[in-house]
Amino acid sequence: MSKLSTTFLGHTFANPLMNASGVYCMDATDLGALHTSDSGSYITKSCTLEARAGNPEPRYRATPLGSINSMGLPNKGYGYYLDLARAHDYSHKPLFMSVAGLSLADNLVMMRTIRDANLPAIVELNLSCPNVPGKPQIAYDFAAMDAMLAAVTKEYTRPIGVKMPPYFDIAHFDEAAAILNRYPTVAFITCINSIGNALVIDTESESVVIKPKDGFGGIGGDYVLPTALANVNAFYRRCPEKRVIGCGGVKTGEHVFQHLLAGASLVQVGTALQEEGPGIFARLNAELIALLDRKGYKNIDEVRGRLKTL
Ligand code: SIN
C-alpha cells in the first residue's frame, strides 16, 4: 500500500483524489482523460433520464476567486453513462456514477436499471443541483429528501452516496444528518455542491457574467473552501456510520489535507480541475505526499477526522 492509497466501500483507491461531478466528465473523451490521469477514481456527469442540452451559454465563468456556473444539467442521458460503466476497466480505478433525476419517478427508473446492470460502479445521488429553473434543490426540502431516500433505497439496496448542498445553520446540519442516518445504505455523503444562486457582477460592463437565471449561479473555488470544510466536519461528526467525500475549494495538496482532517475519506476537485486540467492530480498527490512526510504521517487514513478543537 502506498502512502496515499485507501479503501472505500470495499474498493481500493490509489489515492483519494477524483473529479467533482460536472468537471471533465460529460463524455467518453473527458472521462478518458480522467482515466489516464493520476486521479484515484472519477465520476460521470450527473445524468437524467433523457439527454439534456442544459442552460444557454455562457453558463460557466472563472473568476479571480473561483467560478460561477449555471450549467443546468447538460448530459447525454443515463444510458450513455451506463454503457461507459459497463465498459469500464475497474481493475485500473473505481468509477462513480452521478444520478440527478428531475423527479422521484425518473430517479427510480434510473436506479432500477443501474441496479439490474449489477456493476461495481458506485452511485452518487445528486440531491443538490441549484441550476435547473423550476426545480429547487431536493436537499433543501427535508420532507422531499426523506421521501426520495425512502423510495430510492427501497429499490436500490446496495450502498449509495448522496451529493449534498452546503448548509449554513447548526439546526440544518442536525436535521439533514438525522434524515441521512435513517438510511443505512446511504453509505457516504459528498459535501458540498456549489453554493447556489450567487451573483457575480462585472463592474466595467455593469453586467452579470453568465446568461441563465439572470446571472444567478453556483459558486465554487476559493469562495467555498471554509464552507465545504464545515459541512464535511459537521456530517463526519453526526454520521459516524457513514463515510464523507469532501468537495469544495481544493486547489493544493494542503487543501486536500484539510478536507481529510475535517473527516473526508476521498476528495473531489472541481473548479481547479476545470482551470488546470487533469494534470492537476499529479501535482496534488505530490503536494499531499510532501505534507504527510513533513508531518510524519504514514498514510492518509491516519489523518482522517483528526481535526483538533480549541
Ligand atoms: C449543473 O449541471 O448545473 C451542475 C450540477 C450540479 O451542480 O449539481
Side-chain angles (χ1 to χ4, degrees):
M1 298 285 275
S2 84
K3 235 181 165 69
L4 298 188
S5 67
T6 190
T7 57
F8 182 89
L9 265 55
H11 301 262
T12 300
F13 293 68
N15 64 68
L17 301 178
M18 59 189 287
N19 63 310
S21 179
V23 183
Y24 266 92
C25 56
M26 182 72 80
D27 58 22
T29 306
D30 284 352
L31 292 161
L34 295 180
H35 195 70
T36 54
S37 77
D38 284 338
S39 74
S41 60
Y42 55 96
I43 185 166
T44 57
K45 172 66 185 166
S46 291
C47 62
T48 50
L49 200 53
E50 308 293 345
R52 286 172 58 84
N55 292 339
E57 300 197 23
R59 56 193 184 183
Y60 171 92
R61 175 72 82 89
T63 75
L65 293 177
S67 67
I68 184 167
N69 88 83
S70 181
M71 304 299 288
L73 291 177
N75 76 93
K76 293 184 167 295
Y78 84 111
Y80 178 88
Y81 303 102
L82 191 53
D83 284 345
L84 290 180
R86 284 192 177 97
H88 182 71
D89 175 6
Y90 292 89
S91 69
H92 181 57
K93 53 177 90 169
L95 176 72
F96 292 74
M97 277 188 76
S98 174
V99 173
L102 298 179
S103 66
L104 172 56
D106 285 4
N107 271 335
L108 291 178
V109 171
M110 291 189 280
M111 294 302 291
R112 281 186 199 118
T113 313
I114 295 169
R115 174 196 66 196
D116 293 345
N118 199 24
L119 298 168
I122 304 166
V123 174
E124 182 186 88
L125 183 64
N126 184 349
L127 302 178
S128 52
C129 177
N131 302 328
V132 180
K135 296 277 179 193
Q137 294 169 77
I138 294 163
Y140 282 155
D141 175 341
F142 288 130
M145 178 167 90
D146 198 9
M148 176 70 75
L149 291 176
V152 166
T153 57
K154 192 158 170 257
E155 292 293 334
Y156 190 90
T157 54
R158 289 171 49 187
I160 58 165
V162 284
K163 174 84 171 273
M164 302 297 278
Y167 296 103
F168 305 95
D169 194 285
I170 299 298
H172 294 159
F173 290 139
D174 289 344
E175 198 169 346
I179 292 168
L180 297 178
N181 281 335
R182 274 179 218 147
Y183 300 98
T185 56
V186 174
F188 70 95
I189 308 165
T190 303
C191 304
I192 56 173
N193 208 321
S194 58
I195 297 181
N197 296 303
L199 190 60
V200 171
I201 295 176
D202 178 70
T203 306
E204 288 315 306
S205 61
E206 303 177 13
S207 170
V208 302
V209 301
I210 56 172
K211 186 175 174 68
K213 294 176 64 178
D214 294 331
F216 283 59
I219 49 171
D222 295 352
Y223 300 114
V224 311
L225 178 64
T227 300
L229 293 174
N231 277 261
V232 167
N233 194 242
F235 284 97
Y236 178 76
R237 289 174 186 279
R238 286 167 178 75
C239 303
E241 306 299 319
K242 304 187 191 302
R243 309 290 286 272
V244 179
I245 298 183
C247 181
V250 172
K251 67 178 185 193
T252 67
E254 183 178 353
H255 298 151
V256 179
F257 183 78
Q258 291 179 355
H259 271 272
L260 298 174
L261 272 183
S265 294
L266 302 176
V267 177
Q268 299 181 345
V269 188
T271 299
L273 169 62
Q274 179 66 40
E275 296 306 310
E276 190 172 330
I280 193 171
F281 292 113
R283 176 175 68 77
L284 294 178
N285 280 329
E287 291 174 2
L288 180 57
I289 287 176
L291 191 51
L292 294 175
D293 285 345
R294 178 165 73 74
K295 286 177 162 284
Y297 283 106
K298 289 195 287 301
N299 57 62
I300 59 167
D301 294 341
E302 284 182 359
V303 180
R304 187 183 317 121
R306 276 181 67 111
L307 182 66
K308 296 177 192 144
T309 55
L310 303 181

